Amino acid sequence: MATAESDRPGFLLPLLLLAGFRTLIDDLHAELARQGHPELRPLHGFVLQAVGSDGTTATELGQRLGISKQAAGKTVDRLVALGYLDRADDPRDARRKLVRMTPRGLDGLRRSAVVFDQLRQRWADTLGPERVAAIEDDLRAVTPANWFRLDVPGWFGG
Amino acid sequence: MATAESDRPGFLLPLLLLAGFRTLIDDLHAELARQGHPELRPLHGFVLQAVGSDGTTATELGQRLGISKQAAGKTVDRLVALGYLDRADDPRDARRKLVRMTPRGLDGLRRSAVVFDQLRQRWADTLGPERVAAIEDDLRAVTPANWFRLDVPGWFGG
DNA sequence: ACTATTTGGTCAACCACGTTGACGATCCTA
DNA sequence: TAGGATCGTCAACGTGGTTGACCAAATAGT
């Protein structure tokens, strides 16, 4: 039974959306730690996703993530130190440094995708697949398109 | 027309939830800035909410927000500096410092609530009220209960 | 071909928001 | 009254952002 409209102050909606997001992220994080990636921070999966199997540069990564090239560079530094990414010179442009995924990075990304799929399935088991799909459709309808294309200003927070 | 299940990789769901959250928060933020509260950071509204009209202490605030008392203290520092909160000695316990909302803080909190209600209404205009309610019901069902009671570890992120 | 501009990466300083550890001061309890 | 718990704060640190400055390399314009 749905609660009456008057019982739903507006501040609950953002809180629930945040709760949903963080629940998924925390579960992912815990599962990745169990699967041999304890150093992978929650947002790193999205960074790996943004790097992609073709690799990128720090500047381009920054644009995709909607953050400055300096911030992207620092994030790359950390993931390089953790062994998830590496840097290589671009033979065709001596200014550019290609950022590519290492095998470990690829493993982390693949596992992230698998776990996310499992978590979504768990929601579907609880709510029914059509309601999960409805949430996705609805959120797509009320959020700017660039959000789910990953080129959004500040999607990291901050 | 809903997209087929196979078209919905799991990583889209958290992204859409985050997009929904940040869209609301950004819109709130922009509107609050327009209404005379440009310094209010997106999360400050939740802090004011947690302080409440009765006031609290830093330690208790930390428990409500699921962060350390030190972090809560620093957040209070900032909001005091901005004129949204003030501190007073507790006459019955010299260790405690009562954190209370100033008139400006109360104004910010009230406006936040109004704007959030308006934003929720805007979603209802687009999606239909029953689908917004369904999103809320569904998210309640798949997230731990403490989330929407505001006493959750690390709901700030980080 | 040689300047002038743009672009890519990095350094430095800074800020917001969190963490842990330590430590007085105060309160409560045995 | 001694011992322990609690409150606030200080300090050091980590992470994830920001701006500004700057050099080197590529590109565009004359």
Side-chain angles (χ1 to χ4, degrees), chain B residues 136-147:
Chain B
E136 292 170 332
D137 290 338
D138 290 347
L139 289 176
R140 262 202 165 88
V142 292
T143 53
N146 55 350
W147 260 100

Side-chain angles (χ1 to χ4, degrees), chain A residues 41 44 66-68 70-71 74-75 78 93-95 156:
Chain A
R41 304 257 306 143
H44 287 166
I67 58 180
S68 63
Q70 295 95 324
K74 276 202 269 186
T75 301
R78 283 180 214 117
D93 187 338
R95 293 170 307 176
F156 262 34

